[in-house]
Amino acid sequence: MILHAVPHLGRRSDLPWIVWLHGFLGGHQEWQAFPPHFPDWSQLRVDLPGHGGSVGIRVHDFADVDSALRATLEHYGIRNYWLVGYSLGGRIAMYHACQPEGKGLRGLVVEGSHPGLVRKAERELRALSDARWGQRLTHEHFQTVLRDWYQQPVFHSLSHEQRAALVALREQNNPKALAQMLEATSLARQPDLRRPLCQLAVPFHYLCGERDEKFRAVAAELSGSPELIPNAGHNAHREAPAAFSSALLTLFRHYDL
């Protein structure tokens, strides 16, 4: 399975690629404003299964998604790369980085992503929650479900206008495909990646909006000193794109130039 993706060639072929992975409900367009901020690096903006140009690709679990991602990287000849993932994309990036086959991975950057649930009770509750959302996506009016999705506590920092803009943007998706992807990549089904993340042989950096209390706590647990994006909540790269780009550029230059 080859995922739909949009490549952008940089000025320097000696630098690793930047591979962008969006969150649930997103698409490669989520990152379309960012390539000009990184002109030296080649970049690949990927549509995850069930989203955008990959809407017809069905997966059953994280291993399937990882296999599709690896096939996509091979298709584009990408053997030296950074992964940058937001929310669901960050969880997929962390899973990918923790697999033994990841020889071409140069580094990992995640934004507002969870490494996995530890307790059985937490997994059971999350499985029930994701199953309810999946049923709603399958059977209810899509716009209503989207409105309710962005009322969740993690999105508390969004204004009414920002919520409305996101709902309008996400309506382009296929709700049944999203429901299937949500089930396949539920946090309830994700392995706890804390230990392998601590043992990574490549750099691992965590970015987080300063107003995202939930994931600030997760970030502190994982890396000790996360990079906080000022004046931003959970969706920091959309709420503060200039600060987000600046943080990434500083990081990439430290390792790659």
Side-chain angles (χ1 to χ4, degrees), residues 226-245:
E227 177 79 27
L228 296 181
I229 307 301
N231 303 312
H234 181 57
N235 203 331
H237 67 274
R238 288 186 63 87
E239 296 177 48
F244 184 85
S245 295

Side-chain angles (χ1 to χ4, degrees), residues 70 79-81 96 99-106 202:
R70 291 181 188 280
R79 298 178 179 85
N80 184 26
Y81 57 97
H96 177 91
Q99 305 311 303
E101 312 85 72
K103 296 179 181 177
L105 183 64
R106 178 68 176 269
V202 299

Side-chain angles (χ1 to χ4, degrees), residues 10-82:
R11 296 188 298 214
R12 290 182 50 184
S13 60
D14 59 311
L15 293 177
W17 283 67
I18 303 172
V19 179
W20 305 90
L21 303 179
H22 61 81
F24 185 65
L25 301 175
H28 73 268
Q29 299 93 335
E30 192 78 9
W31 308 108
Q32 65 185 0
F34 290 91
H37 294 275
F38 308 92
D40 290 332
W41 289 263
S42 292
Q43 299 167 58
L44 188 73
R45 296 183 285 125
V46 177
D47 279 336
L48 294 174
H51 296 74
S54 301
V55 64
I57 296 179
R58 294 175 61 89
V59 292
H60 296 93
D61 52 26
F62 279 87
D64 277 359
V65 181
D66 188 54
S67 178
L69 176 59
R70 291 181 188 280
T72 304
L73 295 174
E74 182 65 27
H75 174 77
Y76 284 96
I78 298 174
R79 298 178 179 85
N80 184 26
Y81 57 97
W82 281 86

Side-chain angles (χ1 to χ4, degrees), residues 33-208:
F34 290 91
H37 294 275
F38 308 92
D40 290 332
W41 289 263
S42 292
Q43 299 167 58
L44 188 73
R45 296 183 285 125
V46 177
D47 279 336
L48 294 174
H51 296 74
S54 301
V55 64
I57 296 179
R58 294 175 61 89
V59 292
H60 296 93
D61 52 26
F62 279 87
D64 277 359
V65 181
D66 188 54
S67 178
L69 176 59
R70 291 181 188 280
T72 304
L73 295 174
E74 182 65 27
H75 174 77
Y76 284 96
I78 298 174
R79 298 178 179 85
N80 184 26
Y81 57 97
W82 281 86
L83 281 181
V84 180
Y86 162 65
S87 197
L88 170 61
R91 296 198 284 121
I92 290 168
M94 287 187 284
Y95 181 91
H96 177 91
C98 292
Q99 305 311 303
E101 312 85 72
K103 296 179 181 177
L105 183 64
R106 178 68 176 269
L108 173 67
V109 182
V110 300
E111 173 198 355
S113 297
H114 205 294
L117 300 172
V118 177
R119 291 184 288 275
K120 181 181 178 182
E122 291 178 315
R123 291 182 178 276
E124 291 173 347
L125 284 174
R126 181 57 181 252
L128 286 172
S129 175
D130 284 347
R132 291 190 193 102
W133 281 113
Q135 286 295 309
R136 293 194 63 188
L137 283 165
T138 303
H139 299 293
E140 295 185 25
H141 188 267
F142 190 27
Q143 189 179 75
T144 300
V145 180
L146 288 173
R147 288 198 189 105
D148 289 347
W149 180 270
Y150 287 111
Q151 291 295 334
Q152 293 182 93
V154 73
F155 298 113
H156 74 91
S157 67
L158 295 177
S159 67
H160 174 76
E161 291 75 18
Q162 287 172 321
R163 285 190 176 90
L166 282 169
V167 169
L169 180 65
R170 304 318 191 196
E171 281 184 302
Q172 309 305 314
N173 280 302
N174 180 312
K176 291 182 173 60
L178 292 175
Q180 196 277 328
M181 180 61 171
L182 180 63
E183 178 185 0
T185 57
S186 169
L187 186 59
R189 303 183 65 183
Q190 177 182 315
D192 176 19
L193 301 172
R194 286 169 177 79
R195 179 170 294 180
L197 284 170
C198 290
Q199 299 171 346
L200 287 180
V202 299
F204 171 39
H205 293 269
Y206 199 109
L207 275 61
C208 186

